[in-house]
Amino acid sequence: MPREAEPSLNEKQFIVQALGEKLRLDGREFDQYRPLELTFGDQYGVANVTLGKTRVLAKVSAEVTVPYVDRPLDGVFTIATELGPMASPAFEVGRPTETEVLLARLLEKTVRRSGALDTESLCLVAGQKCWSVRVDVHVLAHDGNLIDASCFAVVAALRHFRKPDTSIASGQLTVYTPAEREPVPLSWLHSPFCVTWSFFGDDGETALLDATWAEEQVRVSSCTVSLNRHGEICQIAKLGGVPVEAVALLQCTAVALTKAKEFSTFLDGKLAEDAKRRNKGGFMAELSSENDR
Amino acid sequence: MPLDTSAYSLALLRVDGRRWNELRRIHAQIRTQAAADGSSYLEIGHTKVMCVVTGPSEPGSRRGAIGSTGGGVGGGAVGGGAAQSKGAEVAVSIVIAGFSSVDRKRTARGDKRILELQSTISNALAASLHTHLFPHSAINISLHVLSQDGSLLAALINAATLACVDAGIPMTDYVAACTAGSTSTYAANDEAADPLLDLNHQEEQELPGLTVATLGGSDRVAVLVCESRVQVSRLEGMLAVGVDGCKQVREILDRVVREKGRRMVQEGTVEKGVGLNDMDVD
Amino acid sequence: MATETERLYVLPGDAIDEPLVPRHKKQPLRLGPGLRHIPPSAIVPTVAGQLVVEPRKNSMWMEYNGGRYVPAQNDLVIGQVQRSAAELYLVNLAAHTASATLPQLAFEGATKKTRPQLAQGALVYARVVLANRHMDAELECVSAATGKAEGLGPLTGGMAFDVSLGLARRLLMARSRDEGGVEVLELLGAEGLAFETAVGRNGRVWVGSDSPKTIVLVGRALRETDEGRLDVEQQRKLVKRLVREMR
């Protein structure tokens, strides 16, 4: 019978005691992230993000469906999260835990409600046909800070994704295969990133970035700020917990902005790298009749 | 869309005729339900909510549900089950009446937005209630939304605080909440935008805003929720106005409690006992 | 290992060649963890790993870095008290292992009146006395023979780190340097750090010290040794680097 891996009293006390002496278990600075890595899959729209031992896989898929009746000009955009027992013994199949609901809501608010994806561009025929874009977020390993890692994976996957090209001639919709026409990227407006602060101590006076699972289990409160690199807040969520000084929250937001800018540059670099890799030899290589055999 | 903003810049009055730093009328009552351990009714403008608290009592069968937080240390840790926590579990349930908003909509049972509201209120109160005094027990807070006109989360938090006071659950201080916004949308990069206090539904739809809850008269923020796009530079002004608004709300809540206490002493419902001596009942 | 000549990697269900099985005149053949006897004469590995044969003791077993801890008799483990029942504590050994029982009287000098009070979440260093497939494991914190604790008992303060089962086993070997290839704890001690450890076969290492800095350092050294599968030379470098960073 798997059980929630709750830390022992010794661990709880030690983590707090060590933080009091400005020590983290893995020797990081308080505002330092674990090494962030991003790899794209062979297909478009697959992003595999590892943040320390936390690992999240996001996969984007698209299909043509009928738009919602009340929004005939908008496409459909959904984000589905999956937290199974694979990620941690604390999660069960089928029953969404509070962690999962809050994660889904945060991703929804950060990516969907902030208008990162232009849903109007997904409309094909008003009221009749539209693209339905779906992001599946799978948490493969949980070692804390799922929110930041998942958000980064979702944004990376969506920006990497290419949907099949379409055309409409005399009311007839044609969807082209990748061989016929090069797939097209989504109409992307801005890239929001989540930065989560964890607070420790009786008054929440110690603030950490990128808490590990052990640290998350002893924190007294947390605050997630989503920002893009233009300095726009997309969402702030400090959902209860021990109260924290308002001034400290403002400082956290300022630091979060620099982190979001770093994320943004990192993602741009990775996307460019991947585009280069895919475009090996360019057009001439495609025309050439030589192959590996 | 920016009807509100343009009108505001002319007369510095908002759609409902308020100035930037004015709260709407807050009307509150406690002990509205005779059968409950604690109850309250709260109106902020046209937003009307009711709250009923039962407990601390023996926990029911519904354990580990979403929106319930093991108190004490587990306050902020998501997924911290009640299994190992020492304090009482704070379980919140919210019912939004079908007739509460303009378009009559039935809310689904597992609506994530409501689950999030529940968990927020539960986490916020668990951190300021002295839950460690009631081990292995549950405090059930059920909230009913009768009418919605913006600032819903703030109204719910205030109502829950009042009902907990009425139920006599020891707590460090009032958790008072209100909303704050900013004139001009995120797109208009208007540096001279004014912060606004206490948004109604129409303003909430059009303008960026946030909900903030503070503990008592301090500047310490228990809940901060922002769901709209806004320039980071605008945050400081909004937060300052919001925290200030929370202090005003706290005074109002405090007045309601004292008033009710005074009346109860007068009516002879309760003795003016030892505990009430240090509460200056005038 | 000093005695063994070669190590064979086997997969679950592989056939083990007849000549490999040690044949001793007097002693019966002893099978260690990871091997199973299927009558009449087949011996089949049940896990993937290295097959170790010890001809002198007429025994063979598997060395593997398994993911899940299964209690076995005489294992030293670090458990976490889950709750206390009338006469015993329920102790959690690992997330996927059924909880073990620890009688409240199985401590040094414990009587009905003077038994230790362990809070929920407290750590204990204990020995597995009874482990079989169909029952919860039973633990003790006192040697039944001598009535002494012999180092077992509640662990106070300090910090518990999770390591792989393989490293925990190597750390527990009598000559961990020669047989297990881990010297990291000795090296840290040689650097002048004062700390004490308790290694649990269930993949937990408890480190106690007066200085949190030392505990963090030991924890990092263990984790990096484990994750990087470092050999003795690399461990030496790691310890040098960590100690330098800390100062």
Side-chain angles (χ1 to χ4, degrees):
Chain A
M1 185 180 65
R3 189 171 302 109
E4 219 171 278
E6 183 139 350
S8 62
L9 282 180
N10 304 46
E11 289 169 78
K12 285 182 184 171
Q13 283 164 0
F14 182 75
I15 291 174
V16 175
Q17 185 197 352
L19 285 176
E21 302 195 12
K22 302 252 173 268
L23 284 173
R24 284 177 86 165
L25 284 186
D26 40 13
R28 273 185 291 153
E29 300 292 322
F30 279 8
D31 58 351
Q32 192 185 356
Y33 267 79
R34 289 169 283 176
L36 176 69
E37 274 170 44
L38 165 68
T39 47
F40 293 109
D42 288 338
Q43 277 180 309
Y44 282 118
V46 180
N48 181 359
V49 171
T50 55
L51 186 62
K53 279 188 196 162
T54 298
R55 186 169 167 213
V56 179
L57 184 88
K59 164 99 173 80
V60 185
S61 49
E63 59 176 1
V64 178
T65 49
V66 182
Y68 293 127
V69 192
D70 52 339
R71 324 213 62 163
L73 292 174
D74 278 353
V76 182
F77 175 38
T78 46
I79 303 174
T81 46
E82 171 82 34
L83 264 80
M86 174 164 49
S88 153
F91 302 131
E92 285 173 47
V93 196
R95 218 180 57 172
T97 54
E98 185 170 305
T99 321
E100 181 165 359
V101 171
L102 295 184
L103 174 66
R105 269 293 286 173
L106 264 172
L107 290 178
E108 161 112 9
K109 285 194 279 188
T110 305
V111 183
R112 212 168 80 104
R113 285 191 36 153
S114 75
L117 178 66
D118 178 16
T119 46
E120 281 178 27
S121 73
L122 298 175
C123 178
L124 296 166
V125 183
Q128 288 173 22
K129 283 192 175 69
C130 71
W131 281 109
S132 160
V133 174
R134 179 189 164 95
V135 192
D136 285 283
V137 183
H138 290 268
V139 177
L140 304 180
H142 179 17
D143 188 29
N145 208 4
L146 279 185
I147 292 170
D148 297 8
S150 308
C151 178
F152 188 76
V154 168
V155 171
L158 281 165
R159 285 188 58 185
H160 186 248
F161 183 64
R162 302 282 185 275
K163 69 179 180 346
D165 201 3
T166 53
S167 72
I168 298 170
S170 62
Q172 189 73 29
L173 175 77
T174 322
V175 180
Y176 297 100
T177 61
E180 288 168 334
R181 277 197 197 177
E182 191 64 17
V184 289
L186 299 168
S187 160
W188 192 251
L189 300 178
H190 71 111
S191 301
F193 298 99
C194 289
V195 178
T196 303
W197 287 92
S198 300
F199 299 99
F200 295 83
D202 290 337
D203 296 334
E205 63 273 356
T206 312
L208 294 193
L209 269 182
D210 190 25
T212 61
W213 178 221
E215 287 166 342
E216 272 186 12
Q217 283 172 303
V218 298
R219 72 183 174 192
V220 293
S221 160
S222 73
C223 177
T224 304
V225 187
S226 309
L227 300 127
N228 60 22
R229 69 186 164 90
H230 311 297
E232 282 168 353
I233 295 170
C234 301
Q235 171 279 123
I236 302 178
K238 183 188 180 303
L239 308 176
V242 166
V244 174
E245 286 291 334
V247 182
L249 282 176
L250 286 174
Q251 280 166 359
C252 288
T253 319
V255 178
L257 179 59
T258 61
K259 294 290 168 191
K261 282 180 180 162
E262 282 172 32
F263 280 142
S264 186
T265 340
F266 178 72
L267 178 57
D268 288 346
K270 282 284 178 186
L271 282 167
E273 206 175 277
D274 185 71
K276 212 185 220 171
R277 183 174 64 84
R278 280 173 193 276
N279 196 13
K280 210 180 274 168
F283 191 54
M284 286 313 290
E286 211 145 279
L287 284 184
S288 139
S289 62
E290 276 179 40
N291 57 28
D292 292 341
R293 263 182 295 162
Chain B
M1 184 173 90
L3 171 143
D4 187 20
T5 354
S6 52
Y8 177 79
S9 60
L10 292 177
L12 296 183
L13 289 174
R14 289 148 71 176
V15 271
D16 49 7
R18 281 183 291 153
R19 304 243 174 233
W20 65 274
N21 59 351
E22 266 181 282
L23 287 170
R24 287 176 285 173
R25 187 184 79 108
I26 296 183
H27 168 75
Q29 280 172 271
I30 58 172
R31 194 150 296 181
T32 52
Q33 251 75 13
D37 289 332
S39 54
S40 67
Y41 172 78
L42 183 111
E43 289 177 15
I44 303 183
H46 292 301
T47 303
K48 298 171 184 171
V49 295
M50 277 176 73
C51 180
V52 170
V53 171
T54 44
S57 58
E58 197 135 311
S61 55
R62 204 184 61 88
R63 295 207 65 170
I66 290 171
S68 60
T69 308
V73 272
V78 268
Q84 237 190 52
S85 70
K86 290 194 189 66
E89 183 188 341
V90 181
V92 178
S93 67
I94 298 176
V95 179
I96 297 186
F99 51 80
S100 64
S101 60
V102 179
D103 45 339
R104 194 186 173 94
K105 233 191 304 189
R106 277 199 69 83
T107 43
R109 255 188 95 75
D111 190 343
K112 289 206 174 96
R113 198 175 68 94
I114 293 176
L115 293 178
E116 191 191 29
L117 286 177
Q118 290 177 352
S119 125
T120 305
I121 296 168
S122 157
N123 280 325
L125 284 173
S128 59
L129 294 174
H130 290 308
T131 51
H132 61 91
L133 297 174
F134 312 102
H136 312 295
S137 50
I139 299 167
N140 285 303
I141 302 176
S142 58
L143 288 151
H144 295 257
V145 180
L146 305 178
S147 167
Q148 293 187 64
D149 185 27
S151 305
L152 179 63
L153 175 59
L156 291 171
I157 292 175
N158 292 334
T161 304
L162 279 181
C164 285
V165 171
D166 185 28
I169 303 168
M171 55 203 291
T172 41
D173 207 330
Y174 292 89
V175 182
C178 77
T179 51
S182 179
T183 55
S184 92
T185 54
Y186 74 90
N189 207 349
D190 180 8
E191 282 306 322
D194 267 349
L196 299 174
L197 182 63
D198 191 16
L199 304 184
N200 62 24
H201 180 69
Q202 196 185 349
E203 288 168 330
E204 223 167 47
Q205 293 290 307
E206 291 180 5
L207 304 171
L210 50 81
T211 302
V212 48
T214 59
L215 183 70
S218 70
D219 278 350
R220 294 173 58 205
V221 177
V223 175
L224 177 62
V225 178
C226 167
E227 302 195 334
S228 43
R229 258 169 93 176
V230 58
Q231 279 291 330
V232 79
S233 54
R234 208 81 50 80
L235 180 69
E236 189 175 347
M238 283 161 62
L239 194 57
V241 167
V243 168
D244 193 53
C246 288
K247 286 180 188 161
Q248 294 181 38
V249 172
R250 184 196 177 273
E251 291 310 310
I252 295 170
L253 299 185
D254 195 43
R255 217 176 301 142
V256 169
V257 172
R258 283 176 193 280
E259 176 68 18
K260 180 72 183 174
R262 194 173 56 84
R263 198 139 12 99
M264 279 163 68
V265 171
Q266 275 176 356
E267 287 167 359
T269 338
V270 283
E271 293 273 312
K272 188 173 173 181
V274 195
L276 286 167
N277 271 337
D278 28 289
M279 196 178 103
D280 64 307
V281 183
D282 38 318
Chain C
M1 222 171 259
T3 49
E4 145 272 352
T5 46
E6 60 170 328
R7 278 189 178 186
L8 192 68
Y9 282 93
V10 288
L11 293 175
D14 274 358
I16 294 176
D17 290 340
E18 197 73 0
L20 276 175
V21 179
R23 303 206 170 275
H24 199 276
K25 294 281 166 351
K26 290 169 204 151
Q27 283 174 332
L29 178 67
R30 289 160 67 100
L31 293 184
L35 290 173
R36 202 173 162 199
H37 173 227
I38 294 177
S41 63
I43 290 167
V44 181
T46 55
V47 290
Q50 290 176 312
L51 179 72
V52 187
V53 180
E54 175 77 84
R56 265 189 299 167
K57 289 182 187 155
N58 202 29
S59 61
M60 57 198 291
W61 69 92
M62 299 282 298
E63 280 292 332
Y64 60 97
N65 202 357
R68 188 169 78 98
Y69 175 68
V70 181
Q73 211 165 351
N74 284 331
D75 275 355
L76 292 173
V77 290
I78 294 179
Q80 184 177 337
V81 175
Q82 219 169 18
R83 60 191 175 88
S84 76
E87 294 277 291
L88 39 83
Y89 291 110
L90 282 179
V91 177
N92 191 10
L93 298 180
H96 288 280
T97 310
S99 50
T101 59
L102 172 63
Q104 295 193 347
L105 296 179
F107 290 89
E108 187 184 58
T111 62
K112 282 247 171 203
K113 291 201 178 114
T114 63
R115 51 193 177 192
Q117 294 293 318
L118 295 181
Q120 207 170 51
L123 290 179
V124 280
Y125 197 32
R127 183 190 299 111
V128 180
V129 270
L130 184 82
N132 63 43
R133 202 178 305 167
H134 307 292
M135 287 166 66
D136 284 354
E138 197 179 315
L139 310 176
E140 61 172 17
C141 286
V142 64
S143 163
T146 61
K148 289 271 184 289
E150 293 176 356
L152 302 179
L155 298 168
T156 47
M159 173 75 192
F161 296 95
D162 288 330
V163 297
S164 69
L165 296 190
L167 182 69
R169 186 175 145 67
R170 280 154 60 200
L171 284 169
L172 276 172
M173 285 174 180
R175 288 170 295 147
S176 58
R177 198 213 132 135
D178 302 329
E179 292 183 359
V182 274
E183 203 191 359
V184 58
L185 294 179
E186 287 84 349
L187 289 169
L188 286 166
E191 288 286 342
L193 298 174
F195 61 94
E196 46 181 345
T197 58
V199 183
R201 183 77 173 79
N202 55 340
R204 309 200 85 183
V205 178
W206 174 86
V207 181
S209 171
D210 288 337
S211 128
K213 227 173 196 178
T214 308
I215 298 182
V216 169
L217 194 142
V218 175
R220 284 179 66 192
L222 281 172
R223 176 175 296 182
E224 290 189 28
T225 307
D226 195 14
E227 281 165 15
R229 310 218 159 89
L230 305 182
D231 59 29
V232 173
E233 194 47 47
Q234 286 167 318
Q235 287 169 25
R236 203 160 289 180
K237 275 189 200 136
L238 169 81
V239 168
K240 285 255 155 61
R241 178 168 63 79
L242 284 177
V243 169
R244 203 170 47 233
E245 265 177 33
M246 226 38 166
R247 281 192 183 136

